[in-house]
Amino acid sequence: MSTLENTQLQLGYIPLLDCIALLWAKQQGFFEEVGLDVTLVKEASWASLRDRLAFGLLDATHCLSAMLPAAAVGADQIGIALQTPLILSKNRAFISLSQKLTHQLAIKENDNAQTTAQKVTSYIKEDNALSLAHVFKHSIHHYCLREWLALADSKIAQTLKLKALPPPYMVEALDNHVIDGFCVGEPWNTQGELLGLSKIVCSSQDIIPNVADKVLAVTQEWAEQHPQTLIALTAAIIKAQKELSDLKDFSPVLKLLVDFGIVRFHCSEEVHVDKYYMIQNIVKNLVKENAAPQPEDFHWLFEQMQKWDELQIDQAQITSLGAQCINLEAYEQAKQLYSS
């Protein structure tokens, strides 16, 4: 293997199921196998993670896919270009509402996304206040909420003010009546349900295309200065992804999630059995086949920024900037390294 430019890395993450490949690669020694000494750094919010990556306090991060196009056009008010060699999850968010609200609106388990959106927008039209939260302005979660509401009322979808909260604070905010619902990745929707506070009313998979949700991100400058290190880092995480998708015994993965404070409720093959297998299924299918980042994912994100954030950009710029967000060369070389 080529000489690594740097062997000691700070790798940031937010406590969500889709950071599991990073945790697993660390625990199983996959980083060490490629010559890396990786320190995992838990961040409090997506904003702090983005800032620490942009300004060099983190070498790489578990990152929202939409942060990359936001950085490309300076919509993040920082403008330091980011890129990704690897998808960590695709379209794995859910929308949850408080149990009180779902009862009040007579939302049923078999209601589809459009039906739930119609019930919610009708409630808003009756001059009822409603507070919904997503994880960050530049995220599929934000756009998922907008597109969900737009299934019933495009004006409400455009004008409703939404809050941004870090994923681990969603359930607490609901419990304290700060918000009435949220769009977030797992396990926070399940946490809300098991505490009797919220109910999942629809999945992002029923609302938006199967686009990248989380990615492994680095700054473009860091990638240019550390190409071999990035290949090694990506190869170790690809190995973790493959092993997680093929594991027969899920219990050590669940233990790791519990140890890192990501899953904070008791579930097993005996207790909360449905939730146990749901979490197992999500982890095994975070990225089903191809974890290579695709230009089309970022084209869709730019188009969402045009639609909901009033970004002024033409198709040629979307194509050009979308290509700059991905590092397929690093992905391909990492796959070769993993296979060797």
Side-chain angles (χ1 to χ4, degrees):
M1 192 171 76
S2 300
T3 303
L4 301 178
E5 302 84 5
N6 185 14
T7 59
Q8 295 189 320
L9 303 183
Q10 301 286 311
L11 182 56
Y13 71 96
I14 295 287
L16 289 156
L17 290 188
D18 52 23
C19 76
I20 185 61
L22 281 59
L23 310 187
W24 194 251
K26 174 71 173 179
Q27 174 169 288
Q28 299 299 104
F30 298 160
F31 293 131
E32 293 177 4
E33 288 177 7
V34 294
L36 297 176
D37 178 9
V38 170
T39 299
L40 296 172
V41 182
K42 182 170 71 172
E43 290 293 335
S45 69
W46 289 117
S48 68
L49 180 143
R50 175 204 61 189
D51 293 351
R52 286 168 60 82
L53 175 65
F55 295 115
L57 299 174
L58 295 170
D59 297 290
T61 62
H62 163 232
C63 187
L64 292 164
S65 58
M67 284 182 170
L68 278 64
V73 296
D76 62 354
Q77 299 180 330
I78 298 175
I80 294 176
L82 306 177
Q83 61 177 221
T84 178
L86 186 67
I87 293 174
L88 299 176
S89 67
K90 286 188 175 183
N91 201 3
R92 285 286 173 179
F94 295 90
I95 296 173
S96 293
L97 299 177
S98 73
Q99 289 201 15
K100 180 180 178 182
L101 184 61
T102 57
H103 176 76
Q104 190 173 347
L105 299 183
I107 291 176
K108 309 299 182 186
E109 284 194 18
N110 60 350
D111 284 350
N112 62 26
Q114 184 168 10
T115 300
T116 57
Q118 286 170 341
K119 290 179 178 180
V120 167
T121 54
S122 295
Y123 178 76
I124 295 170
K125 288 175 185 176
E126 293 167 357
D127 290 329
N128 293 298
L130 185 72
S131 181
L132 299 176
H134 53 70
V135 301
F136 196 72
K137 180 180 180 181
H138 303 297
S139 67
I140 72 162
H141 312 76
H142 174 201
Y143 304 133
C144 182
L145 278 178
R146 298 286 183 198
E147 293 289 344
W148 174 58
L149 294 169
L151 292 174
D153 192 300
S154 58
K155 183 178 179 181
I156 288 176
Q158 186 68 255
T159 59
L160 185 68
K161 291 184 178 180
L162 303 174
K163 289 183 168 69
L165 292 170
Y169 299 155
M170 290 292 188
V171 175
E172 181 182 346
L174 193 74
D175 191 21
N176 291 331
H177 308 292
V178 175
I179 58 174
D180 303 297
F182 48 75
C183 182
V184 71
E186 281 290 77
W188 303 108
N189 300 278
T190 296
Q191 173 91 7
E193 286 201 342
L194 292 180
L195 290 174
L197 296 169
S198 60
K199 278 187 176 293
I200 296 172
V201 298
C202 55
S203 165
S204 61
Q205 294 181 347
D206 299 325
I207 302 166
I208 61 175
N210 190 35
V211 295
D213 178 0
K214 309 301 188 320
V215 298
L216 175 68
V218 296
T219 66
Q220 183 174 311
E221 181 182 18
W222 193 94
E224 291 169 354
Q225 293 175 351
H226 305 85
Q228 298 304 320
T229 305
L230 181 59
I231 291 165
L233 177 67
T234 304
I237 298 173
I238 288 173
K239 184 173 182 178
Q241 288 179 322
K242 177 63 175 172
E243 190 164 291
L244 287 165
S245 68
D246 294 339
L247 270 183
K248 303 302 181 187
D249 181 8
F250 185 67
S251 56
V253 181
L254 182 63
K255 182 180 185 304
L256 188 62
L257 291 167
V258 171
D259 289 346
F260 274 80
I262 296 168
V263 170
R264 302 181 185 181
F265 48 85
H266 180 48
C267 68
S268 67
E269 292 180 286
E270 290 78 32
V271 179
H272 300 312
V273 179
D274 290 344
K275 300 301 186 186
Y276 174 85
Y277 284 107
M278 184 184 81
I279 290 171
Q280 175 179 279
N281 183 62
I282 288 174
V283 167
K284 290 170 74 80
N285 293 281
L286 286 167
V287 181
K288 288 187 178 179
E289 296 294 335
N290 187 5
Q294 302 298 317
E296 294 77 14
D297 291 348
F298 296 97
H299 296 171
W300 182 83
L301 290 164
F302 278 117
E303 289 162 1
Q304 288 291 297
M305 292 171 70
Q306 281 182 309
K307 184 175 182 178
W308 303 113
D309 302 332
E310 299 181 349
L311 173 67
Q312 300 299 314
I313 188 172
D314 60 35
Q315 193 58 47
Q317 289 175 297
I318 287 176
T319 301
S320 174
L321 292 172
Q324 292 175 33
C325 290
I326 65 178
N327 190 332
L328 281 178
E329 183 179 355
Y331 174 80
E332 293 299 338
Q333 293 190 47
K335 275 200 76 174
Q336 291 178 12
L337 177 60
Y338 158 67
S339 301
S340 63

